[in-house]
Amino acid sequence: QVQLVESGGGLVQAGGSLRLSCAASGRTFSRYDMGWFRQAPGKEREFVAAISRNGGNTYYADSVKGRFTISRDNAKNTVYLQMNSLKPEDTAVYYCAAEPNRGSSWFARKSEYDYDYWGQGTQVTVSS
């Protein structure tokens, strides 16, 4: 199992940047595919970005492509989400998620049902 703790959320003006971090417990972090999701008030949780075990593959939602970057440091058991050019519509609670990948291939896990482990979330608020 893995436990996830997000940090780095906050209040930022439109056009600004934030970097979210998700620290994972355990010694097998490098075996997990990771993802970021977000949920705005009154809306369903939506996919933001995904990254493979070794960081060599990434995938983004169209709404954040070109503005957000997902990365990971397996030595630090941490996955990041760098968010630039933030917009008010990016306001949401951001969650990181993990799913063990015991296979040799990778596919972009874009559904929340693809992940078994979740953090508690961190609030991101973008003011106009």
Side-chain angles (χ1 to χ4, degrees):
Q1 289 190 353
V2 64
Q3 292 183 325
L4 306 172
V5 179
E6 301 97 335
S7 62
L11 173 64
V12 64
Q13 288 187 334
S17 298
L18 281 175
R19 187 176 82 156
L20 306 183
S21 299
C22 173
S25 65
R27 297 175 293 177
T28 59
F29 178 69
S30 61
R31 300 179 186 176
Y32 287 80
D33 292 339
M34 302 296 295
W36 284 96
F37 287 74
R38 66 187 182 186
Q39 187 167 22
K43 295 187 177 181
E44 295 185 350
R45 190 175 298 187
E46 65 173 359
F47 169 77
V48 175
I51 190 167
S52 58
R53 291 172 296 178
N54 64 2
N57 294 286
T58 57
Y59 188 86
Y60 298 91
D62 287 343
S63 58
V64 307
K65 199 173 297 181
R67 299 188 298 122
F68 290 11
T69 302
I70 187 171
S71 62
R72 66 190 296 164
D73 185 338
N74 286 346
K76 295 183 178 179
N77 281 14
T78 302
V79 63
Y80 304 97
L81 186 68
Q82 178 67 44
M83 305 185 295
N84 299 328
S85 302
L86 282 161
K87 304 175 182 179
E89 50 263 44
D90 294 318
T91 295
V93 177
Y94 283 72
Y95 299 89
C96 71
E99 180 66 18
N101 185 348
R102 300 177 180 88
S104 59
S105 62
W106 179 77
F107 67 95
R109 301 179 187 272
K110 297 175 285 183
S111 168
E112 61 181 311
Y113 300 106
D114 291 333
Y115 297 89
D116 283 336
Y117 303 99
W118 292 84
Q120 83 291 347
T122 185
Q123 176 70 46
V124 172
T125 303
V126 184
S127 63
S128 57

